[in-house]
Structure formats: C-alpha cells, structure tokens
Amino acid sequence: MQLEIWLVFALAALGLSLTPGPNGLLALTHGAIYGVRRTVFTVLGGAAGFAVVIAVSMFGIGALLTAVPEVLTVLKWVGGAYLVFLGVQVWRAPAITVAASGERPSASAWSLWQQGFLAAVTNPKGILFFVAFLPQFIDPAGDLVVQFAAMAGTFIAIEIAFELTVAALSQTLQPLLARAGRWFNRVTGGFFVLIGVLLPWQV
C-alpha cells in the first residue's frame, strides 16, 4: 500500500474502533467485571474474529474484482452511501450504558475468548461495514494478500489497543459515557458521514 493511502486507512480504522459496537462494549463490561488481565482473552478473541471477517470481506471482493474489474467503482459509491447511512445511525444512537454491579461467576480464558470471537463474527453489520469500507482502499492492480496483511494488521492492532484501554478505564469511562455519550456518538457518526462522502471521489 502507498503510505498516504495507509495513513488514511489507519485514521479511518481508528474511527471505526472508536465507534460504539459489540466488541468495545464487551471489553468495557468485562474490564469492569473480570479486570484487565482476564479481559485480554476477550480482546484476543475479538481480534481473531475481526481477522476472519476482514478476510471473508476482502477476498470475496477480490474474487468479484477478478471477474468484473469495473465493479470496484460501483462498490466505492455503494459503500460510501452505506458509510453515510451508518454515520447517521451512530449519530442518532442513544448513549452507551453499562451495568456492571453485582457478582458474576469467574469465566475461563477459553470462554472469554469465545465471547470476543463470537461478538465479532456474528455481528452482520461487521461484514456489511467491511464490504463497504475496504473497497475504498483496495488497489486492484496490487497484491491482495499484501493489502490484506497491511489493512487487517493495522485495524486489529488499533482495535486491540483501544479495547485494552477501554477495559483498563472501564470504571472511569462508565459515568463519562452516561454524561457525554450522545456527543461521542455524534462525533464518531459525523466522522463516518465524512468518510462516506469524500472517499468515493478519490477513484
């Protein structure tokens, strides 16, 4: 990937990680209930799930581009429209609230890993998002495997760092989200509207 394209992708991936979703909420909840050390397994499970989702999305797109190269332009515009729609949905979403009071039975590392993995792969919006998101950065003339490694590695590294931070700050973040969650949603929602409007014009 060209450096400038990778930098834009990394910024967009950071925005995606900051957007309220099941894995971030799970890290927030598990951090409050089990502590950061146990939540590492939840986060790693989510990372594996995201790798699967990105691979399915990207190589599915790659197979389609091999058959019909011109479809990339269509995917960019349809994907841009979906990103705008998603941004509006995030803008209008209620603030995140987490109830972590009370005792829970201890969970095994495998159980926590499974929860993180399943939260990533069973969310249909995840696949829809990456199908819309990845074509904005794919170079059909480049090596798809190399691009997958760059994009998946970047997104997963950012997501792991974000979720571990959320888990570590879970007790502090809960009252903050209750007070300022709507504004947080508006900022991240507006970010995705901007991506959806601007990126399809690049190609």
Side-chain angles (χ1 to χ4, degrees), residues 22-35:
N23 285 84
L25 184 57
L26 195 63
L28 183 67
T29 306
H30 283 190
I33 295 171
Y34 302 115

Side-chain angles (χ1 to χ4, degrees), residues 10-21 24-25 90 96 155 158-159 161-163 165-166 173 177 181 184-189 191-192:
L11 181 61
L14 178 61
L16 174 57
S17 291
L18 292 174
T19 301
L25 184 57
V90 172
I96 296 175
F155 175 77
I158 291 172
E159 184 70 16
F162 169 71
E163 290 186 21
T165 301
V166 165
L173 287 175
L177 288 172
F184 177 80
N185 288 353
R186 288 172 182 175
V187 170
T188 52
F191 182 74
F192 278 111

Side-chain angles (χ1 to χ4, degrees), residues 11-116:
L11 181 61
L14 178 61
L16 174 57
S17 291
L18 292 174
T19 301
N23 285 84
L25 184 57
L26 195 63
L28 183 67
T29 306
H30 283 190
I33 295 171
Y34 302 115
V36 180
R37 286 190 177 183
R38 302 299 292 173
T39 305
V40 167
F41 298 105
T42 307
V43 174
L44 292 178
F50 281 122
V52 170
V53 170
I54 294 172
V56 169
S57 303
M58 190 164 184
F59 289 107
I61 294 168
L64 184 59
L65 292 179
T66 300
V68 189
E70 296 80 9
V71 81
L72 180 62
T73 300
V74 176
L75 284 175
K76 282 179 175 288
W77 284 101
V78 172
Y82 176 74
L83 293 177
V84 171
F85 170 77
L86 182 65
V88 172
Q89 296 297 105
V90 172
W91 178 290
R92 298 174 60 185
I96 296 175
T97 57
V98 178
S101 58
E103 291 296 326
R104 258 192 174 183
S106 60
S108 68
W110 174 240
S111 173
L112 295 175
W113 189 95
Q114 284 181 305
Q115 289 182 57

Side-chain angles (χ1 to χ4, degrees), residues 127-150:
I127 294 179
L128 285 174
F129 181 86
F130 282 112
V131 168
F133 183 64
L134 295 177
Q136 315 297 333
F137 302 96
I138 290 176
D139 178 5
D143 188 324
L144 200 61
V145 174
V146 173
Q147 293 179 76
F148 165 75

